[in-house]
């Protein structure tokens, strides 16, 4: 049995992250809670908790919903709701339809733990 390899979460370069956020904005078309067009890109699993820069871990939230739902008293409940949203056919089909573009974006990862 060989050594156990530590998983390093995918971290994109600034350019890669910007491209990914553009796709997430296209997929979500506004805040996924209130539909406001003014959005921030929220990591469902926080980067500090090992969350990755992937389309499966980002959702659009307006600043108000970001504060209330992603970082509020019911943060765990909303994290589960955001994960459910990411499993909806809309999100799954969007990801499938943009797989080539996503592969190119994921190649823009930061080198060694940056």
């Amino acid at each position: 049995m060989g050594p156990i390899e530590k998983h390093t979460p995918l971290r994109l370069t600034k350019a890669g992250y910007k491209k990914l956020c553009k796709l997430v904005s296209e997929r979500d078309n506004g805040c996924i809670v209130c539909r406001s067009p003014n959005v921030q890109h929220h990591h469902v699993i926080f980067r500090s908790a090992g969350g990755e820069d992937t389309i499966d871990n980002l959702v659009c939230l307006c600043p108000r919903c970001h504060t209330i739902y992603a970082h509020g008293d019911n943060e765990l409940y909303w994290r589960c709701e955001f994960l459910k949203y990411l499993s909806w056919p809309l999100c799954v089909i969007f990801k499938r339809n943009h797989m080539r573009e996503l592969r190119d974006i994921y190649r823009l990862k930061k080198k060694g733990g940056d």
Side-chain angles (χ1 to χ4, degrees), residues 2 5 9 12 14 16 19-20 24-25 29 31-33 51 54 59 61 64 69 78 90 97-98 102-103 107 110 112:
E5 291 185 33
L12 297 174
K14 261 188 178 174
K19 289 178 181 185
L20 180 61
V24 172
S25 292
N29 195 28
C31 175
I32 65 169
V33 177
T54 64
V59 295
L61 297 173
R64 180 180 175 279
Y69 302 112
W78 284 100
L90 170 135
N97 290 343
H98 292 83
L102 286 166
R103 275 195 295 266
R107 286 188 187 108
K110 290 184 177 181

Side-chain angles (χ1 to χ4, degrees), residues 25-101:
S25 292
E26 182 182 335
R27 179 196 65 202
D28 294 349
N29 195 28
C31 175
I32 65 169
V33 177
C34 75
R35 307 310 310 157
S36 169
N38 176 24
V39 297
Q40 301 170 339
H41 297 91
H42 170 64
H43 285 83
V44 177
I45 307 299
F46 299 155
R47 287 172 52 115
S48 60
E52 298 187 297
D53 295 342
T54 64
I55 200 158
D56 296 320
N57 192 42
L58 285 168
V59 295
C60 289
L61 297 173
C62 72
R64 180 180 175 279
C65 289
H66 197 175
T67 299
I68 293 170
Y69 302 112
H71 301 286
D73 293 339
N74 293 316
E75 173 188 315
L76 184 58
Y77 168 81
W78 284 100
R79 182 177 309 140
C80 292
E81 291 300 304
F82 299 150
L83 290 170
K84 283 183 204 172
Y85 166 77
L86 290 168
S87 70
W88 286 4
L90 170 135
C91 295
V92 173
I93 292 167
F94 184 91
K95 179 181 173 182
R96 185 178 337 135
N97 290 343
H98 292 83
M99 192 52 70
R100 180 174 291 140
E101 193 173 352

